[in-house]
Amino acid sequence: MNIQDVILGFLYDEPMSGYDIKQMMENSVSYFFDASFGAIYPALRKMEKEGLVEKQIIQQDGKPNKNLFVITESGKEQFQTYLNSPINPTITRSDILIRIFFGRFTTKEKVMEWLLEERGKNQAMYDNLTRIANLYPNMEPNKRFTLEFGIRQAEMILGMVDEELIKLNNNKGD
């Protein structure tokens, strides 16, 4: 999976601007795939050069022109190739887990600080994902699965962080 595959997936349904793509990512897949505007726009330019998308310029009164990107047949073929390719192993990269792994080189208070920060981030993610789930009760089943995956993952992380905070609080002399 790369950013082009994700963009092609979003464009498969409808033409979008780079801004629209970023908004869709933030409101749907950001808990397992995220990209900045600094990654989206260069990818769109490259995809346009490769013939995977075409740019449509929309004239707007009193505003800059809007660039909409439309997936081409070649882009649809590439996206289908991606969907039919072997699934790559899931690699988890986590700053908090690396820090905790090496937590013996700092204080218990610092580890607790990290855990509380991580708890806050995961609570915000959980709240956002459950808000989305409540806003769209009739969501397409495949999208619902990924949303539920994110909700359960956030619940699991919250539970583990809370358990570790309790352990650290109970070991005050350590």
Side-chain angles (χ1 to χ4, degrees), residues 58-66:
I58 309 297
Q59 303 288 329
Q60 301 186 109
D61 291 332
K63 297 181 191 175
N65 294 339
K66 184 175 185 175

Side-chain angles (χ1 to χ4, degrees), residues 7-8 10-18 21 44 47-48 51-58 67-76:
I7 291 172
L8 289 171
F10 283 121
L11 294 178
Y12 214 90
D13 282 333
E14 62 183 308
M16 293 184 183
S17 68
I21 292 166
L44 285 167
M47 293 164 68
E48 185 181 14
L52 303 174
V53 300
E54 292 177 350
K55 181 169 53 175
Q56 296 177 345
I57 299 172
I58 309 297
N67 295 325
L68 284 183
F69 295 87
V70 179
I71 192 169
T72 63
E73 284 305 313
S74 178
K76 288 179 180 181

Side-chain angles (χ1 to χ4, degrees), residues 12-31:
Y12 214 90
D13 282 333
E14 62 183 308
M16 293 184 183
S17 68
Y19 178 82
D20 296 333
I21 292 166
K22 176 68 172 155
Q23 291 303 113
M24 286 294 292
M25 280 186 189
E26 287 179 0
N27 293 320
S28 61
V29 300
S30 64
Y31 57 94

Side-chain angles (χ1 to χ4, degrees), residues 104-151:
R104 68 186 180 278
F105 300 118
T106 191
T107 65
K108 178 173 80 169
E109 290 73 26
K110 189 61 159 172
V111 172
M112 291 176 75
E113 179 185 320
W114 296 335
L115 288 166
L116 287 168
E117 183 180 340
E118 186 69 11
R119 190 187 197 297
K121 290 176 187 176
N122 277 276
Q123 185 66 57
M125 182 188 325
Y126 174 83
D127 293 345
N128 184 51
L129 295 176
T130 54
R131 179 188 60 80
I132 292 169
N134 292 330
L135 281 174
Y136 303 101
N138 299 319
M139 185 181 295
E140 183 251 311
N142 295 327
K143 290 179 181 179
R144 168 89 35 211
F145 175 83
T146 62
L147 184 66
E148 289 293 328
F149 190 98
I151 290 169

